[in-house]
Amino acid sequence: MREITRYNYEEFFLDYLEGTLSSLQSVALEDFLTRNPDLKLELEEMECPVFTKDSVEIDLKSLKEIPFRESFDDFCIARLEGDLSVENEIAFDTFLEKNKSFQKENQIYQKTILHADNSLVFTDKEKLKRSSRKVAYWWYFSRIGVAASIVLLFSLWSILYQFKGNQSDEEKITAKVEKAITESKKTNKIKEAIDVEALVTPKREVVQSEKKYSIENRQQKTADNQGDKTQVENIEKVLKRVEPVVLSSDIKLIALANSADPTIELDIPKEKNTEISTQNNGLAQLGMSWKSSVPEKKAQNSVLYAIAKYGVDKLGEIAGKNVQLEKKYDSTTEKTRLDFNTAGIGFSKTIK
Amino acid sequence: MNLDEYNISVDQHADGMFRFILKSIRDEDKARDVVQDSFEKLWRNVENVNYLKVKSYLYTTAYHTMIDLIRREKRKEDFENVDVRDYSHSEHYSDLSEILDEALKRLSDVQRSVILLRDYEGYSYTEIAKITDLTESQVKVYIYRARMHLKNYIGSIESIV
């Protein structure tokens, strides 16, 4: 049997009150209460009256009735919101049927339900809609791509021009002169575009001299040399006139070079020289400017050298000699020398 | 959510949102702006929004945009000391919708929003609570008070008529 202490006495008190303690336990409890008189009062307080069945009368009907009257607004709103249980809904509806006075108020609650006006529509739905993002990305990146391509092409093109520009001026201009001369002989349009007299006259002279050379013998050489001499003089004069015009258009320059009339001059103003020279540049074709790194004087000399070399080469062809005009750099003097190997060809001038 | 779902969302919810906002702030241009802003925000987050929850997202965005707008307007109103409602009141009603409209104007912003969400869109208390950042109990209380207010207003007008 467990000992009764101040920590578990409630359990024994309850059992005592219920009458479930054994005789031995009852003796022990009495002994405990003797030793603890303060707890005897507590036991007396715990002794509550026991109700008998006959003494309690419960109104079961009133318990089943839901307080619709007292909380009518709450039930109306709850019914409206669908918060009532099915049983309560039925009970509430029954209540309303039986109490007509409450029906009107409930009807007003029914009217508080808002109905959307479907005639109100958002008209700009199409503006809210989106097209494919991929298209947008493609469009975005394609624009960048096009821009990048343009920049890339422009860069490559500029580099190529720069590369071309780095070629020796001599080679470039010689090539241009030769090409232009060849074209001038072939193309009638070019002849029309430039001064016809200036172009045709020297050509005729050249052809005549060639004929003379092929027909006449060496004794008649002097007479031929007079023709050549005239030609050379013309070239010299032309060179003098060409000097101020540095980089004229190829055709006009050659026309001038072949001209027999020393009075013919290029009608290109000096101020336009730079502009004309830049016409060969691709940048100028795009309306942009570019200043050559080649000094102007150097360019002039290069042009003159090219024309002179071309003339000398042709002279060699006419004479059947290996006549050469060459530039040679002397490292000791650090100067460029111009060597003219006449290869036995002499110059003479008739004096009237 | 993909592009097609986004465009379907526009078709499905733009009108409802527009009505909700228009009834709340009574300014067509501003309501239109709020709807546009909401869809703009949706588009920016289109990849992060679940299509099944897009309606809730849209209404939440629209509601908060509208609340911001109302606050700004109120500040302006306080500054100017003008109460628009005083000028807009009229007791000549032709039908119930007009009476309700008038009664709706007299609700607080929160009460109006929750009851519109409840009646127009049929949202549950929980859904309204999420949209409006309120607790479910608060939503219930606001709806209760709004119904009471509407009922009293309608009752008073009917008794006058």
Side-chain angles (χ1 to χ4, degrees):
Chain A
M1 190 185 73
R2 282 200 304 156
E3 190 185 354
I4 303 170
T5 64
R6 289 187 76 87
Y7 300 104
N8 64 358
Y9 68 90
E10 292 95 343
E11 191 183 332
F12 288 93
F13 280 10
L14 286 170
D15 287 342
Y16 173 74
L17 292 171
E18 294 287 326
T20 54
L21 280 182
S22 65
S23 55
L24 205 63
Q25 283 174 326
S26 298
V27 172
L29 183 64
E30 280 172 14
D31 183 49
F32 175 75
L33 288 170
T34 313
R35 282 185 277 114
N36 300 282
D38 56 312
L39 294 177
K40 195 173 183 179
L41 189 66
E42 195 176 325
L43 179 65
E44 286 169 4
E45 283 175 357
M46 285 176 77
E47 289 178 11
C48 51
V50 179
F51 295 101
T52 58
K53 274 189 177 179
D54 299 334
S55 62
V56 179
E57 285 184 10
I58 301 166
D59 185 5
L60 295 172
K61 199 178 177 183
S62 66
L63 279 177
K64 286 179 182 174
E65 192 175 311
I66 302 167
F68 291 130
R69 288 172 194 276
E70 292 79 12
S71 309
F72 181 72
D73 288 328
D74 296 352
F75 277 99
C76 281
I77 293 169
R79 175 78 175 86
L80 208 64
E81 300 296 336
D83 293 342
L84 293 178
S85 64
V86 180
E87 294 82 12
N88 283 351
E89 268 188 25
I90 295 165
F92 186 67
D93 291 344
T94 312
F95 168 79
L96 288 174
E97 281 174 14
K98 286 179 183 173
N99 300 279
K100 299 286 179 187
S101 59
F102 287 98
Q103 276 184 12
K104 194 182 174 186
E105 207 169 344
N106 184 57
Q107 281 171 358
I108 298 173
Y109 270 114
Q110 296 285 342
K111 288 176 184 174
T112 63
I113 293 176
L114 305 169
H115 297 284
D117 182 3
N118 291 327
S119 64
L120 291 171
V121 289
F122 190 84
T123 50
D124 299 330
K125 273 188 224 134
E126 292 306 314
K127 285 183 185 173
L128 296 177
K129 289 182 182 177
R130 307 281 177 160
S131 53
S132 175
R133 275 193 162 191
K134 284 178 184 173
V135 172
Y137 282 134
W138 179 86
W139 179 78
Y140 176 72
F141 285 114
S142 66
R143 289 208 318 173
I144 292 173
V146 168
S149 303
I150 290 168
V151 170
L152 185 66
L153 285 170
F154 182 77
S155 306
L156 285 171
W157 177 78
S158 298
I159 290 163
L160 283 171
Y161 256 88
Q162 197 178 359
F163 177 73
K164 281 184 180 178
N166 288 338
Q167 285 179 338
S168 69
D169 292 328
E170 185 185 320
E171 287 173 9
K172 189 168 73 179
I173 293 163
T174 307
K176 278 186 180 180
V177 168
E178 284 178 358
K179 188 183 174 188
I181 289 169
T182 312
E183 283 175 0
S184 70
K185 286 176 180 175
K186 288 177 182 175
T187 313
N188 288 329
K189 283 183 184 178
I190 298 168
K191 285 178 185 175
E192 288 168 10
I194 59 172
D195 191 339
V196 177
E197 190 184 355
L199 267 175
V200 174
T201 311
K203 272 169 59 180
R204 196 185 301 145
E205 283 180 4
V206 172
V207 171
Q208 283 172 350
S209 65
E210 280 176 352
K211 279 180 181 177
K212 282 177 184 177
Y213 243 93
S214 61
I215 296 167
E216 293 176 3
N217 54 30
R218 283 182 72 94
Q219 291 173 345
Q220 291 172 325
K221 189 178 174 183
T222 313
D224 292 339
N225 286 342
Q226 281 183 347
D228 292 337
K229 192 175 67 182
T230 309
Q231 190 181 5
V232 171
E233 280 174 4
N234 285 340
I235 289 170
E236 284 173 353
K237 286 172 186 174
V238 165
L239 285 175
K240 283 176 187 173
R241 288 200 309 278
V242 167
E243 195 173 356
V245 183
V246 181
L247 279 172
S248 181
S249 65
D250 294 334
I251 295 164
K252 285 189 175 181
L253 197 140
I254 297 309
L256 195 65
N258 292 330
S259 174
D261 187 355
T263 58
I264 297 170
E265 287 184 4
L266 284 174
D267 57 346
I268 303 163
K270 258 195 163 181
E271 289 76 22
K272 290 184 181 177
N273 287 352
T274 316
E275 189 183 328
I276 293 162
S277 68
T278 57
Q279 280 178 0
N280 291 326
N281 195 329
L283 283 170
Q285 290 169 15
L286 291 174
M288 300 160 122
S289 61
W290 173 74
K291 193 175 179 181
S292 172
S293 59
V294 181
E296 195 175 319
K297 196 176 176 183
K298 193 178 174 185
Q300 286 177 5
N301 289 337
S302 298
V303 173
L304 290 174
Y305 174 74
I307 293 167
K309 184 170 172 54
Y310 180 76
V312 169
D313 289 344
K314 288 293 172 188
L315 191 66
E317 278 181 31
I318 292 163
K321 305 269 184 178
N322 187 20
V323 184
Q324 287 179 336
L325 183 69
E326 283 179 333
K327 267 184 181 177
K328 283 183 181 175
Y329 179 71
D330 188 358
S331 58
T332 53
T333 58
E334 293 184 346
K335 286 183 178 176
T336 304
R337 287 172 58 84
L338 194 66
D339 286 350
F340 184 31
N341 175 20
T342 57
I345 293 177
F347 292 93
S348 63
K349 188 175 180 181
T350 52
I351 301 167
K352 289 182 180 178
Chain B
M1 191 169 143
N2 57 34
L3 174 73
D4 293 336
E5 287 170 339
Y6 169 84
N7 286 333
I8 291 167
S9 302
V10 172
D11 285 331
Q12 285 181 340
H13 305 306
D15 290 339
M17 283 170 65
F18 178 64
R19 283 192 284 266
F20 165 58
I21 302 296
L22 181 61
K23 282 285 175 187
S24 298
I25 59 174
R26 303 185 171 280
D27 187 317
E28 199 171 326
D29 291 334
K30 284 173 187 168
R32 212 174 288 280
D33 289 345
V34 170
V35 174
Q36 280 177 347
D37 284 355
S38 304
F39 276 101
E40 186 65 39
K41 282 174 188 168
L42 173 65
W43 179 246
R44 285 204 294 270
N45 294 304
V46 72
E47 285 162 6
N48 305 320
V49 177
N50 186 344
Y51 177 59
L52 299 173
K53 294 179 180 176
V54 71
K55 187 182 177 184
S56 178
Y57 179 90
L58 282 169
Y59 275 84
T60 306
T61 311
Y63 174 77
H64 288 290
T65 310
M66 180 187 73
I67 291 293
D68 289 344
L69 187 71
I70 289 169
R71 282 176 187 158
R72 281 202 300 272
E73 293 291 314
K74 272 196 174 164
R75 276 202 290 273
K76 206 188 288 178
E77 224 172 70
D78 291 342
F79 181 72
E80 293 169 354
N81 286 322
V82 172
D83 189 357
V84 179
R85 290 178 192 180
D86 291 343
Y87 298 103
S88 58
H89 177 64
S90 167
E91 290 187 353
H92 301 286
Y93 306 109
S94 58
D95 58 14
L96 179 65
S97 66
E98 284 184 28
I99 298 169
L100 270 175
D101 238 28
E102 195 59 40
L104 208 57
K105 281 183 201 171
R106 290 157 190 278
L107 295 177
S108 72
D109 295 329
V110 184
Q111 284 178 7
R112 192 166 45 245
S113 296
V114 294
I115 205 159
L116 282 170
L117 289 169
R118 181 75 173 167
D119 287 355
Y120 277 17
E121 301 301 325
Y123 276 122
S124 67
Y125 294 131
T126 316
E127 287 169 325
I128 295 169
K130 277 182 185 171
I131 290 170
T132 55
D133 271 351
L134 299 168
T135 64
E136 208 174 312
S137 304
Q138 283 176 311
V139 172
K140 278 183 184 175
V141 170
Y142 280 126
I143 288 176
Y144 178 85
R145 287 178 187 166
R147 293 269 181 232
M148 286 285 280
H149 183 92
L150 293 175
K151 178 249 172 186
N152 290 336
Y153 190 83
I154 295 166
S156 65
I157 296 296
E158 281 190 345
S159 63
I160 291 167
V161 172

